[in-house]
Amino acid sequence: MRVSFDVGAEQYDRFMGRYSVPLAAEFADFAGIATGQRAIDVGCGSGALTRELVERLGADRVSAVDPAQLFVAAIRERLPGVRVDLASAEALPYMDSQFDVAVAQLVVHFMAEPLVGVREMARVTSSGGVVAACVWDHTGGRGPLSMFWDVARELDRSVQGEARRAGTREGDLGPLFEAVGLREIEESSLTVDVGHPSFDEWWEPFTLGVGPAGRHVAQLRSDDQARLREACRARLPSAPFVISALAWVARGRV
């Protein structure tokens, strides 16, 4: 099932942007983003990777899509000159072979049909071009939300978290790329270190209703929210502390 985001870009930035912004630069390096390319950011969200692409290529060389209207509106305001379309990864509104590189940062695990989404990315990429994707290590316990989901499951065994989604474990992305006919596939991992000055600065964005974690917190009763909050506090080191977040990455050529 596709996960939709019905929160504003500012809320997303406060929750996941603190990790996705530093990841974007590393991911763009891995994808081989270079001057002169035409790039499409699939599932652009609030624009962490889109902005990185614009800084490297120029707004007129970058397109972006997202199925959330609030995110599309935010990118249009934040990054004038970028073509931004309201669309899902599974139905990209572009012609075949239109881009030199198609990238999806922290998106594959939210696609309703990951295979279809990656196939669409390959379709709109020219021969010899690059398709690349990355997903947090939700299954191996090294993603930025891993500790949160561990604690949530300890308090409620019915909680599933995000560990069963496509791309969240080592070696997941390669087979998807192979299945759509990509070649010269390379898989690796990227790690970002994010400092948090206080526990409250780390916790407060979980209350904004962003993504599966935010929705989990929002549906809890106030006393259960407090239990979860204090259990997380007990698990984390004393502030200030650093979260090291790992993402699995893959790239292939069309």
Side-chain angles (χ1 to χ4, degrees):
M1 177 180 295
R2 180 184 297 115
V3 174
S4 61
F5 289 82
D6 55 1
V7 298
E10 293 76 13
Q11 287 88 346
Y12 183 88
D13 288 344
R14 288 168 61 189
F15 179 63
M16 191 50 65
R18 48 195 177 169
Y19 305 105
S20 60
V21 169
L23 178 64
E26 293 194 31
F27 181 45
D29 287 343
F30 177 81
I33 302 300
T35 301
Q37 291 177 330
R38 298 159 299 162
I40 171 68
D41 183 4
V42 177
C44 60
S46 62
L49 181 58
T50 317
R51 184 177 298 278
E52 185 70 26
L53 296 175
V54 168
E55 290 176 356
R56 298 184 184 211
L57 306 177
D60 62 335
R61 310 289 292 183
V62 177
S63 297
V65 300
D66 200 275
Q69 180 64 63
L70 289 174
F71 286 161
V72 169
I75 299 298
R76 287 173 176 166
E77 180 177 350
R78 292 176 172 184
L79 299 170
V82 173
R83 173 179 169 177
V84 191
D85 291 291
L86 182 68
S88 70
E90 295 88 347
L92 297 177
Y94 305 105
M95 297 182 296
D96 294 356
S97 306
Q98 190 168 341
F99 302 98
D100 302 300
V101 58
V103 286
Q105 175 169 294
L106 311 177
V107 173
V108 170
H109 60 313
F110 289 140
M111 293 179 183
E113 298 178 87
L115 186 62
V116 176
V118 175
R119 182 178 291 118
E120 274 289 272
M121 292 174 67
R123 178 185 65 78
V124 301
T125 304
S126 59
S127 178
V130 170
V131 173
C134 66
V135 178
W136 292 124
D137 178 32
H138 291 301
T139 300
R142 288 174 288 180
L145 308 181
S146 293
M147 187 278 293
F148 169 86
W149 285 121
D150 286 346
V151 172
R153 280 190 292 269
E154 289 172 5
L155 297 176
D156 181 353
R157 293 184 179 180
S158 69
V159 171
Q160 292 189 0
E162 300 172 60
R164 298 181 181 180
R165 296 181 181 275
T168 62
R169 60 179 57 80
E170 184 175 10
D172 265 8
L173 293 172
L176 279 175
F177 282 28
E178 291 176 2
V180 303
L182 294 174
R183 55 190 177 82
E184 299 179 26
I185 297 168
E186 298 180 46
E187 294 184 82
S188 187
S189 64
L190 300 173
T191 301
V192 295
D193 294 325
V194 177
H196 295 277
S198 69
F199 172 79
D200 288 340
E201 182 271 342
W202 175 86
W203 169 258
E204 190 270 341
F206 282 92
T207 68
L208 301 176
V210 180
R215 282 194 287 276
H216 175 71
V217 172
Q219 59 87 29
L220 294 174
R221 298 179 305 179
S222 59
D223 56 338
D224 288 331
Q225 280 192 21
R227 288 177 61 217
L228 176 57
R229 181 187 67 238
E230 295 309 309
C232 287
R233 189 195 302 272
R235 187 71 62 87
L236 286 166
S238 299
F241 55 86
V242 173
I243 298 292
S244 292
L246 182 145
W248 301 118
V249 293
R251 67 185 172 205
R253 290 197 179 276
V254 174

